[in-house]
Amino acid sequence: MLSIDEIKQLIELIDESTLDEFELETKDSKIMLKKNKIVATAAISEAPVALPTVQAAPAVEQQAAPQQVETSVTDTNLEVITSPMVGTFYASASPEDSNFVNVGSRVSAQSVVCIVEAMKLFNEITADVDGEIAEILVSSGELVEFGQPLFKVRKK
């Protein structure tokens, strides 16, 4: 039977992959992982085994709530920066540093706007658009999903 640590590693690998589900069967156990669902059955006991949901605790205390300004629903000049992966969002390089960007900050396509940490790897996320930060949609230390909106940028 797989250890809890091995199951956690499998969960992290599936979360970071493009797979929607994964199934592993050995002579004494069967585990099936689906994004946002975990089901395991142990053949030894022939009863479902409930596995704990794994959530990483934020490495830093959550800071102030996301910054927002009024944006028009029909504003077609807004571009959304989304998370390219599952991980922990950080607005600055360290808790002592100032944020990479704030509402009103001007950014270029190469500007680093945040860091998303996944499996102890710190990935710098760039704006990929020229403009001005109109809205910050998440707080530092918050867990983010693949494709989750992080920022709204008013294109220039």
Side-chain angles (χ1 to χ4, degrees):
M1 183 172 270
L2 294 173
S3 72
I4 294 295
D5 287 335
E6 291 171 321
I7 293 171
K8 285 179 183 178
Q9 287 177 338
L10 276 174
I11 291 169
E12 289 173 354
L13 289 171
I14 298 303
D15 264 348
E16 293 179 357
S17 75
T18 58
L19 295 175
D20 289 328
E21 62 182 72
F22 172 81
E23 189 172 327
L24 175 67
E25 191 169 344
T26 63
K27 63 180 181 176
D28 61 348
S29 65
K30 178 179 177 180
I31 185 167
M32 184 174 187
L33 301 173
K34 292 184 179 183
K35 296 270 175 136
N36 299 323
K37 285 187 176 180
I38 303 172
V39 179
T41 305
I44 297 171
S45 65
E46 296 182 12
V49 177
L51 296 176
T53 302
V54 179
Q55 287 190 338
V60 296
E61 289 183 23
Q62 264 187 258
Q63 297 172 353
Q67 299 175 5
Q68 298 181 0
V69 294
E70 287 299 317
T71 55
S72 170
V73 175
T74 60
D75 192 346
T76 58
N77 209 27
L78 287 179
E79 183 83 21
V80 177
I81 301 172
T82 61
S83 179
M85 66 193 70
V86 173
T88 305
F89 172 90
Y90 294 107
S92 62
S94 75
E96 299 82 32
D97 292 343
S98 59
N99 291 351
F100 290 108
V101 294
N102 295 302
V103 171
S105 296
R106 294 198 182 275
V107 294
S108 68
Q110 299 81 21
S111 298
V112 174
V113 293
C114 68
I115 293 175
V116 175
E117 182 261 327
M119 293 183 62
K120 306 295 180 199
L121 294 175
F122 294 86
N123 303 280
E124 291 184 341
I125 309 304
T126 56
D128 294 332
V129 64
D130 294 335
E132 178 181 309
I133 300 294
E135 193 171 349
I136 300 174
L137 304 170
V138 292
S139 298
S140 196
E142 186 177 329
L143 294 177
V144 294
E145 297 292 327
F146 170 80
Q148 179 177 342
L150 304 175
F151 301 90
K152 289 185 181 178
V153 178
R154 188 166 288 108
K155 295 186 284 186
K156 293 293 178 189

